[in-house]
Amino acid sequence: MYVLIGGGGLVGLSLAQKVLELGHTVAVIDIDPNACRYAREKIGAMAFEGSAVSTDVLLEAGIRKANSLAAALRSDALNLAMVTLAKHYGVPHIISRMRHPDFAQPLRLAGANHIISTVELGVSTMVNAIEYPQVDSMMHFEQGQIEVLKLAIPKNCYVAGRSVAEIAQDSRFPTGSLIIGYQPHPQDDLMIPNGSTVLEPGSTILIVTKPGTLHQVIDFIEGY
C-alpha cells in the first residue's frame, strides 16, 4: 500500500513510522527541509519538500497512485484543502486530522473518510484514565455507541480461572457485552477466545460493551 502523509510534524512523522512498521510504502510532504531530512534519514520514508496543497508537489509525490492519504497539517484549512485535492485525484481512502469541530462537516463534504479530532481524542483519553484507572485502554466506535476495553485479570478476582462460556452465562455479566480478545501473557500475541478459553490471572482481555454498562463490566471482572 502506498500512503501519502501531508505534514512532517510530530503527528505526521509518528504516523509515518507506524505505517512503515506495518510494511507499507510511505511518503511525507512538508515545507520544512529538516522535517523531510528526518523522515528520510531517521524513519526511512520518502519525503518531498514543498507545500502539501500544491498540485505540483502532490503529483511529484505520486498522489495518483496513493492508496491512502493522511492530512496531518498544522491548520484545519490546509487539511481541508489537501482532502479536497486528494478527492480530486481519486485517492480511495482519505484521513484528516482536525483541531476545531467546525471543520468536521466541511471535511466530510470534501471527501474525508475518517476525521480524527486530536483535541477530542486527547481529552477523551484523559477523562477515561481518570474515570477508569484500571482500564489499560479504551476505544470508541459508532460515535461512542460501542466501547472496547482492555482489562487485566487480577489474581484471585471472580473471573480468574473461569472459562469465557461460564462468564457469558453468568447472570451478573452485563447483557450485550462480549469478550473478543485474550492475551495470556504480555509477551504472547492477542488471540480470539472461544467458549473453552480460561481466563488466567495476569492475563489481559478485550471486552466490547455499551457505554452505560462500563462500570458493571469492570465491577464484574474485578469482583472478588
Side-chain angles (χ1 to χ4, degrees), residues 92-105:
H93 186 217
I94 304 170
I95 305 158
S96 180
R97 176 188 187 185
M98 181 184 71
R99 294 176 183 271
H100 198 284
D102 284 352
F103 278 83
Q105 187 63 12

Side-chain angles (χ1 to χ4, degrees), residues 100-194:
H100 198 284
D102 284 352
F103 278 83
Q105 187 63 12
L107 284 166
R108 289 192 191 95
L109 291 172
N113 303 105
H114 296 281
I115 301 168
I116 311 299
S117 172
T118 49
V119 173
E120 288 181 11
L121 186 60
V123 170
S124 177
T125 300
M126 287 188 280
V127 168
N128 290 334
I130 293 169
E131 183 72 6
Y132 310 104
Q134 61 276 78
V135 176
D136 288 340
S137 63
M138 185 182 302
M139 294 173 284
H140 312 273
F141 297 93
E142 296 300 320
Q143 290 77 50
Q145 297 178 59
I146 297 174
E147 308 282 358
V148 178
L149 317 178
K150 183 179 181 182
L151 281 170
I153 304 298
K155 293 181 179 179
N156 302 319
C157 71
Y158 176 72
V159 299
R162 295 178 180 272
S163 70
V164 170
E166 288 180 277
I167 294 167
Q169 292 166 8
D170 193 303
S171 60
R172 291 173 294 173
F173 188 58
T175 302
S177 302
L178 185 66
I179 297 174
I180 60 171
Y182 180 64
Q183 187 177 27
H185 302 286
Q187 298 81 10
D188 295 335
D189 292 334
L190 185 71
M191 57 178 281
I192 298 174
N194 55 40

Side-chain angles (χ1 to χ4, degrees), residues 5-14 16-17 20 26-50 72-74:
I5 298 174
L10 180 60
V11 172
L13 292 176
S14 298
Q17 184 168 2
L20 274 169
V26 178
V28 175
I29 301 174
D30 199 278
I31 59 173
D32 185 351
N34 293 322
C36 292
R37 188 179 306 112
Y38 187 93
R40 294 189 197 100
E41 297 177 2
K42 301 296 184 181
I43 296 178
M46 292 185 289
F48 296 85
E49 186 180 335
L73 297 165
R74 294 168 180 80

